[in-house]
Every structure is written in structure tokens, then in C-alpha cells.
Amino acid sequence: MRTRITATALAAAICLALTGCLPDEEVSTTPKASAESTGDAGKKDTKDAAVGDTLSLKGTEDGEQLDVTLKKWLPTAPGSNEFNVPTDGKRWAAAQFELVNTGSKVYADAPSNGAKAVDSEGQRFDSWFGEIAAGPGMSSDVSMPKGDKTLGWIVFEVPKNSKIVSVQFAMNSGFANQTGQWTVK
């Protein structure tokens, strides 16, 4: 019995020590261009990212980095045909993202796994598999060397009356410590 308690305490201490070594979570909302530009009196422009803005995001490993641009936002995204439709009581919303590998490692991931839509009540909606009329979806399996880019739509199935106010993206299927967030209308 004493050995079991000691082992449990030791395991808990190791978990706490490891947790203390992990980097803090961060939500990035300052666009790349704004972070580099300065306004009057040398102060940085701190507007929140919106459609058209690029955020520089880091992955979980050294050398993993993307410039992520929310190119377009559709609060209601029609399906590509009569068979691609949302569930009753729901609608599809969609974000077109462009990902550019600015790191020193190959970016290999399923980008849609790291995307969420957030409504005015704080509810978060994961990506959804649906083909929309606006264009091709984001590949479910990308492998991009440094300098390569990919472009595609990520679809979200949300309640019809839900007002989406922001879209989020994180590398490593959403497990990276840094999440980008764009305000949408």
C-alpha cells in the first residue's frame, strides 16, 4: 500500500513538473502588417485581425511556423450541389485560409482540425466536412516544405441563428500553444 501511494505521488510530481515546463497558451490577434507598422508618436497599431489579415503562428516544434491569412469569410456558404447540405436547423459558414510555410521544417498536418468558428455566445464549432459552391476545400493532408503555400475553404456547421464573430486557427491539428484569431462579420 505504501509503495502504491509513493508511486502515485511521484507520478503526480512528475506531471506537475512537466506541466510547468510547457509554454503558455497564446491567442494572437495582431496582424503581421500592423505589428510591423507604427502610427503617430511611434505607437504600434493594435487592431484585431480581420478578413485579409495575416498572422504569423508557431507550431509545437522548433522550426514550425506559418503565415496564415484569412482570405475570405462566408457567414452562409451554400453547398456545391443538392446533396451537399447542412443538417436541419443548421447552416454552413466557411473561411478561406492561405497557409505559407515560413518555418525551417516541413509543415505536415490536417489544417482543418485546427480551425474553429466562435459565436457571440462563446460557443465554438469545429470544422465540418462539406463541399461548398465557393470553391475547393482545404486539403485534409498537407505536406509543405519551406516557402510552399496552400489555399482552401474550411467549412463549419453552425446553428442557423448563431452569429459567428471570430474564426480561430492553430497549427498541429489545434494542439499548438499559439492560436490565431480573426474577427468576422
Side-chain angles (χ1 to χ4, degrees), residues 51-52 69-80 92-99 110-116 126-142 150-157 167-169 184-185:
V51 175
T69 305
L70 177 61
K71 301 289 270 184
K72 296 178 184 173
W73 168 250
L74 296 175
T76 301
S80 62
W92 285 345
Q96 186 186 48
F97 283 104
E98 179 183 73
L99 313 177
S112 295
N113 292 344
K116 294 192 183 300
D126 293 326
S127 62
W128 189 263
F129 293 101
E131 293 181 30
I132 60 171
M138 178 67 71
S139 174
S140 62
D141 181 24
V142 299
T150 190
L151 175 73
W153 288 94
I154 296 177
V155 176
F156 306 94
E157 187 170 74
V167 179
Q168 296 180 327
F169 180 86
V184 295
K185 295 178 184 179

Side-chain angles (χ1 to χ4, degrees), residues 84-95:
N84 275 306
V85 294
T87 309
D88 285 343
K90 308 257 179 147
R91 74 175 197 279
W92 285 345

